[in-house]
Amino acid sequence: AQSVTQLDSQVPVFEEAPVELRCNYSSSVSVYLFWYVQYPNQGLQLLLKYLSGSTLVESINGFEAEFNKSQTSFHLRKPSVHISDTAEYFCAVSDLSTGRRALTFGSGTRLQVQP
Amino acid sequence: GAVVSQHPSWVICKSGTSVKIECRSLDFQATTMFWYRQFPKQSLMLMATSNEGSKATYEQGVEKDKFLINHASLTLSTLTVTSAHPEDSSFYICSARDWSSGTFRDNEQFFGPGTRLTVL
């Protein structure tokens, strides 16, 4: 079964500093990869996704993630964070071999941007 | 487009009662919906896959008789927590896949805003 590891439960960072949130998944079979953001007491919002093609994917608000098949990683990065980026970030994997397309989520990383 | 709603957004009930949570796809058809549960400061755990017109598929360890799922139309799935107990208190989130075009759009799941259940 697929598993997703987000090593950092919390990442404190100062405003305008760069940040990287790490995500590794267990299986090297064909997968779709996603990053979701969750604000307090709200549902999940898709930040970005990798389905195929270019291994570097970007979101409209400055985040990017790079799919690394050999390292089974999909780390999320932003060169300069804002206070408004404070939220919980979840990495998720859809294992194409199962056919169900259900998502397996990592444990989440709380990004805390400080002024 | 691709909006998913949940009702209610929060509910408080007494132990032993049943609670129904609705998940609706507002502007697309969803043959498949997923139900997740999220405990405080934890990740989302898949409970079951809801398929329109057929029985739901439950994950290991999830009691199908306790968490009743009905997906009677292409836009509505319901989760009923029967005989709820305090340990069922959680944040329940549904997601749906867009089947409107005859294929699943963008291989993406669209999430509802969640329902916070508190059982006293």
Side-chain angles (χ1 to χ4, degrees), chain A residues 36-39 41-46 105, chain B residues 2-9 21-26 28 33-36 38 44 91-97 109-116:
Chain A
Y36 287 88
V37 59
Q38 184 181 36
Y39 298 99
N41 296 312
Q42 294 186 27
L44 275 68
Q45 300 174 31
L46 179 67
F105 285 87
Chain B
V3 178
V4 176
S5 70
Q6 282 185 240
H7 178 80
S9 56
I21 302 171
E22 294 184 347
C23 176
R24 290 182 186 274
S25 56
L26 298 185
F28 65 98
M33 291 182 173
F34 301 93
W35 286 96
Y36 296 86
Q38 184 182 30
L44 281 75
F91 195 49
Y92 292 87
I93 302 175
C94 73
S95 70
R97 300 187 68 201
Q109 292 182 30
F110 300 96
F111 285 83
T115 296
R116 184 162 300 284

Side-chain angles (χ1 to χ4, degrees), chain B:
Chain B
V3 178
V4 176
S5 70
Q6 282 185 240
H7 178 80
S9 56
W10 59 270
V11 57
I12 301 173
C13 69
K14 293 181 179 180
S15 184
T17 61
S18 294
V19 175
K20 179 184 285 188
I21 302 171
E22 294 184 347
C23 176
R24 290 182 186 274
S25 56
L26 298 185
D27 51 3
F28 65 98
Q29 295 179 333
T31 56
T32 301
M33 291 182 173
F34 301 93
W35 286 96
Y36 296 86
R37 180 168 52 185
Q38 184 182 30
F39 290 108
K41 300 188 185 301
Q42 295 187 29
S43 188
L44 281 75
M45 298 300 294
L46 179 67
M47 299 176 65
T49 303
S50 171
N51 301 298
E52 187 267 335
S54 64
K55 292 183 178 180
T57 303
Y58 290 82
E59 295 300 300
Q60 191 173 7
V62 178
E63 301 174 56
K64 60 182 66 177
D65 293 331
K66 181 169 184 61
F67 298 99
L68 301 178
I69 291 173
N70 184 279
H71 193 157
S73 78
L74 286 173
T75 59
L76 174 65
S77 175
T78 60
L79 168 68
T80 301
V81 183
T82 63
S83 186
H85 291 287
E87 58 266 29
D88 298 323
S89 298
S90 187
F91 195 49
Y92 292 87
I93 302 175
C94 73
S95 70
R97 300 187 68 201
D98 186 350
W99 182 249
S100 300
S101 61
T103 61
F104 285 117
R105 182 163 72 99
D106 294 337
N107 295 288
E108 179 182 343
Q109 292 182 30
F110 300 96
F111 285 83
T115 296
R116 184 162 300 284
L117 171 63
T118 301
V119 185
L120 302 177

Side-chain angles (χ1 to χ4, degrees), chain A residues 45-58:
Chain A
Q45 300 174 31
L46 179 67
L47 196 57
L48 45 76
K49 62 185 176 183
Y50 170 79
L51 304 182
S52 64
S54 173
T55 56
L56 184 66
V57 291
E58 299 176 347

Side-chain angles (χ1 to χ4, degrees), chain A residues 5 7 18 29 43 51 68 88:
Chain A
T5 302
L7 288 172
V29 297
L51 304 182
N68 188 318
E88 190 86 21

